[in-house]
């Protein structure tokens, strides 16, 4: 468990870190089915400690389902998921979560600060109200995504990108070790894209692990260290330089030839 | 005729017309308070109609409990037994809705419609069976359908008040938990909150409000106490604590005024009167609430149109173009023009300000499109009141040099 408490900035390569302790996320034999149709099939995966991991695959490949199954939000047919060597139910405090923006009602009567403060609820515990210290932690998280000026704004009055940053700030307020993010770059403006990327890099520098569903193949190699190519099963996994190849991508995307980032750069 | 009735109303409203009616009015107000508090979270969790199925499903339970009481030889109808029956069949109805929407392809609204009507139909059939039996006390059963405050005994009113206060207190204690449950249940689950159990608590509180409201408001309309106060309160605020308090206040006022009115007009069903009072609050909120009301929205829209029309007309006049129609009349009324659309000194000043605003906003739009989302009123309010001074000066320089 040593790398849990690494000081910010000290990066340990996966091959060095693996003998130290269990991986941040280990999935064994995971299968998920809706009715009788498998959406994820026999997934085995161990996330390297510390690093930004992209989950890449076509629509309907089960990317979001993988995250939700890891978090226990959709029932598993079979398989186990362990976080730092223990079942997820025992490691909730170590997990941060950024759901898809469309998953909630943005007309809900709360301010941006209220939403970010929800990231602290796990630490606050039953029945206790949100104290000033927790509100300050929430405000600090909003600062980190450049949204402190909007703390008191009702969330429905924010733009889509600003809403995405509020969700990101809520996850930061969780002060987790392992983050799951479901398409944080989807449909955001340039300022939000920069803010999200900066947060990812800060988390990486602080030794956190981030597992991120990502749809934009062009940016995978720039933004992430590792990739998990998914299409119902794991097609490939590893450092982006090794797995973001035209061959593996075309196998992930159903055999059709794909314009890979490497090919795009070469032309 | 008016005067004695008015005095009577005043006495009931101020709890001075005898202890019994005071207790009934206070009990009904407490019921409204609990309905508003619990209802706020039902509405936000989108469970409002489920509680309608729940309340309709109580009727067969009430009838069966009455028959059980008669079979056991209880001398008269026993309220705790009837309410226990109501809880049991209400919960069975609720579980049926959940089972239908989870395990079949039926959507929740069709499951609610089916359960609500079938359970209510069963209750009506059982009631007519009871009517034909030679038993005592069956006449009182009908009050459960439409409600009657006069039927409430003192002890019952006090029990209702205490239970309602308990429900409101439970919501206050679980405020943070219910907030995250209603806003983002997935996130709540990841954080380790027992989402299913919290939902159960919320539905349990709804069941409590429904059952203690059965006698007063009746099972057809009791759902209104859960839905209307928070729906009305939503027009007044964007903050959850304020929303909950406003819904509680509207619910309590509805219960208080409604119980008073029905004490004065004993022939009208109490439940309907209370619900109509709540409906009145809803209508007032919908029309006149300052932020989200219809009138405020219309005024805002009208003012916006007028601002743009006036600004455009002023700059047109400055450019020497004619302005006609109602805008021309408006400018004259404002003292900006006189005679044949000639700008007055005040009009000149306003027109130059409008032209400058337009020029600088256009510069801002061209140079800093990324900053737009941060300024909700860009292009509407004067630029000096929206952007910081140094930014305005920068835009002045740039628009002068280009």
């Amino acid at each position: 468990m040593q790398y849990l408490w690494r000081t910010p900035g000290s990066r340990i390569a996966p091959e060095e870190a693996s003998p130290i302790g269990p991986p941040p996320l280990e999935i064994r034999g995971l299968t998920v089915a809706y009715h009788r149709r498998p959406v994820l099939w026999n997934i085995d995966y161990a996330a390297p400690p510390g690093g930004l991991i992209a989950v890449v695959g076509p629509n309907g490949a089960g990317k979001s389902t993988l995250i939700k199954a890891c978090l226990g939000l959709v029932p598993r047919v079979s398989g186990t998921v362990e976080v730092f060597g223990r079942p997820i139910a025992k490691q909730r405090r170590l997990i941060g979560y950024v759901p898809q923006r469309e998953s909630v009602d943005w007309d809900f009567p709360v301010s941006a600060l209220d939403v970010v403060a929800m990231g602290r609820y796990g630490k606050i515990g039953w029945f206790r109200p949100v104290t000033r210290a927790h509100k300050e932690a929430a405000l600090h998280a909003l600062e980190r995504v450049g949204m402190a000026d909007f703390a008191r704004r009702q969330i429905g009055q924010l733009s889509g990108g600003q809403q995405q940053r509020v969700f990101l700030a809520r996850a930061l307020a969780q002060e987790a070790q392992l983050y799951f993010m479901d398409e944080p770059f989807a449909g955001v403006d340039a300022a939000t894209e920069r803010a999200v990327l900066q947060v990812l890099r800060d988390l990486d520098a602080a030794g956190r692990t981030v597992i991120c569903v990502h749809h934009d193949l062009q940016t995978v190699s720039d933004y992430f260290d590792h990739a998990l190519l998914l299409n119902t099963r794991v097609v490939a996994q590893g450092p982006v330089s090794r797995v973001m190849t035209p061959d593996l991508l075309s196998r992930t995307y159903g055999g059709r030839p794909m314009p890979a980032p490497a090919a795009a750069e070469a032309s | 005729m008016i005067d004695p009735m008015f005095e009577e109303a005043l006495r009931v409203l101020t709890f001075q017309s005898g202890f019994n009616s005071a207790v009934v009015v206070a009990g009904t107000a407490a019921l409204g308070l609990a309905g508003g508090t619990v209802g706020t979270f039902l509405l936000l969790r989108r469970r409002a109609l489920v509680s309608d199925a729940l309340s309709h499903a109580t009727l067969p339970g009430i009838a069966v409990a009455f028959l059980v009481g008669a079979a056991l030889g209880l001398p008269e109808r026993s309220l705790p037994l009837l309410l226990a029956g109501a809880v049991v069949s209400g919960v069975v109805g609720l579980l049926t809705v959940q089972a239908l929407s989870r395990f079949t392809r039926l959507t929740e609204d069709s499951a609610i419609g089916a359960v609500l009507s079938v359970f209510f139909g069963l209750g009506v059939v059982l009631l007519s069976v009871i009517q034909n039996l030679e038993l005592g006390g069956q006449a009182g059963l009908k009050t459960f359908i439409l409600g009657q405050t006069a039927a409430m005994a003192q002890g019952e009113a006090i029990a209702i008040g205490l239970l309602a206060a308990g429900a409101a207190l439970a919501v206050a204690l679980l405020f943070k938990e219910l907030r995250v449950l209603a806003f983002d249940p997935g996130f709540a689950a990841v954080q380790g909150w027992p989402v299913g159990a919290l939902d159960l608590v919320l539905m349990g509180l709804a069941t409590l409000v429904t059952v203690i409201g059965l006698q007063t408001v009746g099972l057809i309309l009791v759902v209104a106490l859960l839905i209307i106060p928070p729906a009305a309160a939503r027009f007044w605020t964007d903050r959850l604590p304020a929303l909950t308090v406003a819904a509680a206040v509207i619910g309590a006022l509805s219960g208080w005024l409604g119980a008073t009115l029905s004490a004065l007009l004993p022939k009208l069903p109490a439940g309907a009167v209370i619900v109509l009072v709540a409906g009145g609050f809803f209508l007032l909120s919908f029309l006149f609430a300052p932020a989200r009301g219809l009138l405020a929205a219309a005024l805002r829209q009208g003012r916006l149109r007028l601002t743009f029309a006036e600004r455009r007309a002023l700059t047109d006049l400055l450019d020497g173009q004619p302005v006609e129609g109602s805008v021309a009349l408006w400018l004259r009324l404002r003292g900006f023009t006189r005679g044949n659309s000639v700008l007055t000194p005040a009009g000149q000043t306003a027109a130059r300000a409008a032209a400058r605003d337009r020029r600088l906003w256009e510069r801002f739009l061209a140079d800093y499109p990324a900053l737009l989302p941060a300024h909700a009123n860009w292009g509407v309010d004067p630029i000096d009141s929206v952007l910081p001074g140094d930014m305005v000066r920068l835009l002045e320089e740039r628009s002068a040099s280009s």
Side-chain angles (χ1 to χ4, degrees):
Chain A
M1 298 286 281
Q2 278 172 27
Y3 54 78
L4 275 182
W5 315 112
R6 267 190 299 162
T7 48
S10 69
R11 294 211 49 198
I12 298 175
E15 49 275 19
E16 282 172 50
S18 47
I20 300 176
L25 175 72
E26 185 161 25
I27 305 170
R28 279 189 231 105
L30 175 69
T31 294
V32 175
Y34 287 146
H35 298 287
R36 278 180 52 80
R37 190 175 62 86
V39 185
L40 292 173
W41 195 66
N42 273 327
I43 305 286
D44 288 302
Y45 182 67
L52 307 178
I53 302 158
V55 180
V56 176
N59 287 335
K63 304 187 294 290
S64 288
T65 306
L66 177 67
I67 282 189
K68 287 181 182 155
C70 287
L71 294 168
L73 295 178
V74 297
R76 307 193 274 261
V77 173
S78 72
T80 59
V81 176
E82 285 187 347
V83 171
F84 296 110
R86 299 174 71 197
I88 196 151
K90 299 201 167 132
Q91 304 281 48
R92 301 247 177 235
R93 298 282 285 276
L94 301 181
I95 295 167
Y97 179 37
V98 179
Q100 280 185 20
R101 184 153 47 87
E102 295 78 27
S103 64
V104 302
D105 167 21
W106 290 94
D107 193 40
F108 203 87
V110 285
S111 67
L113 188 69
D114 290 334
V115 172
V116 178
M118 287 178 190
R120 313 290 299 175
Y121 284 9
K123 296 185 199 308
I124 297 171
W126 283 98
F127 306 121
R128 299 219 191 100
V130 183
T131 60
R132 180 178 295 267
H134 289 296
K135 279 189 185 148
E136 267 160 24
L139 193 62
H140 179 65
L142 271 174
E143 265 165 27
R144 287 179 64 185
V145 298
M147 289 285 295
D149 292 344
F150 300 89
R152 297 191 59 77
R153 195 86 63 91
Q154 195 264 329
I155 52 172
Q157 295 166 7
L158 302 173
S159 73
Q162 292 171 333
Q163 293 173 344
Q164 187 65 57
R165 279 188 269 167
V166 168
F167 261 12
L168 193 64
R170 181 177 66 173
L172 289 178
Q174 291 185 277
E175 292 177 350
Q177 297 293 331
L178 169 65
Y179 285 90
F180 292 90
M181 302 189 184
D182 204 343
E183 301 248 19
F185 291 104
V188 301
D189 53 289
T192 300
E193 178 134 357
R194 278 195 303 275
V196 175
L197 188 59
Q198 188 54 50
V199 165
L200 289 185
R201 290 188 172 148
D202 291 348
L203 289 171
D204 185 30
R208 310 290 191 262
T209 305
V210 182
I211 296 172
C212 194
V213 173
H214 193 64
H215 65 287
D216 181 12
L217 289 178
Q218 304 299 323
T219 51
V220 170
S221 300
D222 293 336
Y223 292 180
F224 296 94
D225 311 321
H226 296 263
L228 170 61
L229 302 192
L230 190 75
N231 192 347
T232 311
R233 67 201 171 84
V234 175
V235 178
Q237 54 170 311
V240 284
S241 58
R242 227 174 46 220
V243 296
M244 294 302 286
T245 63
D247 175 48
L248 287 175
L249 283 172
S250 75
R251 277 206 266 153
T252 312
Y253 283 77
R256 283 163 295 158
M258 283 300 298
E265 275 167 23
S267 65
Chain B
M1 191 55 207
I2 299 288
D3 269 351
M5 191 158 158
F6 178 74
E7 278 173 25
E8 171 73 13
L10 206 64
R11 272 203 304 280
V12 180
L13 276 172
T14 52
F15 304 113
Q16 284 164 5
S17 72
F19 185 66
N20 193 41
S21 76
V23 167
V24 168
V25 168
T28 314
L31 174 69
L33 182 136
T37 321
V38 174
T40 299
F41 288 94
L42 276 184
L43 211 65
L44 292 174
R45 184 82 179 105
R46 300 178 187 276
R47 287 287 191 279
L49 275 180
V50 183
S51 55
D52 199 23
L54 165 81
S55 61
H56 278 76
T58 56
L59 190 57
I62 294 168
V64 169
F66 179 83
L67 288 173
V68 168
L72 291 176
L74 294 179
E76 51 187 291
R77 70 192 183 97
S78 136
L79 190 64
L81 184 64
L82 294 184
L83 293 188
V87 169
V88 170
S89 73
V91 169
V92 169
L94 197 66
L95 294 177
T96 314
V97 168
Q98 287 190 342
L100 282 179
S101 46
R102 182 178 298 179
F103 299 117
T104 72
R105 286 173 175 271
L106 283 179
T107 54
E108 192 172 57
D109 56 340
S110 32
I112 288 170
V115 167
L116 182 151
S117 43
V118 168
F119 273 70
F120 188 65
L122 177 65
V124 170
V125 165
L126 288 174
L127 274 196
S128 5
V129 169
I130 291 171
Q131 295 295 309
N132 293 330
L133 297 174
E134 298 290 315
L135 299 167
Q138 67 261 63
L141 286 184
K142 284 235 160 121
T143 64
F144 284 105
I145 296 179
L146 284 176
Q148 192 178 15
T149 42
M152 206 192 296
Q154 239 182 62
E156 290 165 15
I158 291 172
I160 285 177
L162 289 177
L163 285 172
L169 192 71
V171 170
L173 265 178
L174 287 168
F175 195 80
K176 155 173 118 285
E177 287 78 1
L178 291 173
R179 164 153 59 188
V180 69
L181 170 80
F183 176 63
D184 193 345
F187 184 81
V190 170
Q191 234 180 11
W193 299 105
V195 166
L198 282 172
D199 263 333
L200 220 62
V201 168
L202 186 58
M203 284 320 296
L205 290 172
T207 309
L208 181 66
V209 170
T210 303
V211 169
I212 63 181
L214 279 183
Q215 259 208 310
T216 324
V217 188
L219 59 88
I220 294 183
L221 292 176
V222 70
V223 68
L225 279 189
L226 290 165
I227 296 179
I228 296 178
R234 192 65 186 88
F235 287 105
W236 295 89
T237 174
D238 270 336
R239 312 306 294 259
L240 188 53
L243 177 68
T244 314
V245 170
V249 168
I250 291 173
L253 280 177
S254 307
W256 179 44
L257 289 173
T260 305
L261 276 176
S262 74
L264 296 175
L265 308 163
K267 289 201 174 141
L268 297 182
V273 174
I274 293 168
V275 169
L276 282 179
V277 172
F281 280 117
F282 179 85
L283 192 65
L284 288 178
S285 310
F286 167 62
L287 291 177
F288 301 118
R292 298 179 140 229
L294 199 64
L295 195 68
L299 278 177
R300 237 185 349 257
Q301 198 60 33
R303 208 177 305 136
L304 191 66
R305 284 183 185 189
L306 204 59
T307 309
F308 272 89
E310 177 189 295
R311 209 181 285 167
R312 181 82 209 195
L314 282 173
T315 49
D316 280 355
L317 283 175
L318 207 60
D319 294 345
Q321 290 180 31
V323 168
E324 284 166 356
S326 52
V327 191
L329 188 67
W330 168 254
L331 289 183
R332 196 170 309 165
L333 282 174
R334 291 264 282 161
F336 286 159
T337 58
R338 63 166 169 252
N340 193 16
S341 287
V342 180
L343 285 168
T344 60
Q348 290 276 354
T349 314
R352 285 208 197 88
R356 170 179 172 269
D357 250 4
R358 184 161 128 195
R359 199 178 66 239
L360 295 184
W361 275 124
E362 265 171 18
R363 194 75 254 161
F364 182 68
L365 210 57
D367 292 355
Y368 302 103
L371 293 181
L372 282 181
H375 302 286
N377 283 341
W378 75 266
V380 179
D381 294 339
I383 197 161
D384 298 292
S385 71
V386 179
L387 297 180
D390 46 352
M391 172 62 103
V392 175
R393 272 191 297 283
L394 187 68
L395 291 171
E396 294 252 32
E397 281 164 24
R398 287 197 185 176
S399 78
S401 66
S402 67

